[in-house]
Amino acid sequence: MKRDILSEDDYDEVCHVVGDAVIVLAESGYETPRGVIAELLKKTRQQRADSERDEQKILEHAIRLVKP
């Protein structure tokens, strides 16, 4: 994913979301390879399907960023 697709604020938010996912996985004793992070983000996106569009957009970009 090219960074210039997102505004700087959105890119920062995507990085924050990915970092949070890594912390949650690590604290739960899971490894944090890209595939595991992407799956967690996909599950989160599905669980929050009714969320506002901006949140969905950030999750989609985060998934693309870490997808193996």
Side-chain angles (χ1 to χ4, degrees):
M1 178 179 99
K2 292 182 180 178
R3 183 174 178 198
D4 59 357
I5 294 172
L6 297 171
S7 70
E8 188 172 334
D9 288 341
D10 284 348
Y11 183 80
D12 289 345
E13 184 65 22
V14 166
C15 291
H16 182 82
V17 167
V18 172
D20 285 350
V22 170
I23 290 169
V24 167
L25 288 167
E27 287 179 345
S28 298
Y30 291 97
E31 295 288 323
T32 57
R34 288 175 169 249
V36 173
I37 298 167
E39 286 304 312
L40 175 64
L41 293 171
K42 287 177 187 176
K43 284 182 185 178
T44 302
R45 185 185 63 197
Q46 289 172 348
Q47 292 171 346
R48 296 181 180 183
D50 295 333
S51 297
E52 62 184 58
R53 180 165 160 65
D54 286 343
E55 183 177 339
Q56 289 293 314
K57 179 182 82 171
I58 295 298
L59 284 168
E60 288 170 14
H61 282 294
I63 291 165
R64 273 186 264 167
L65 181 67
V66 299
K67 191 167 47 173

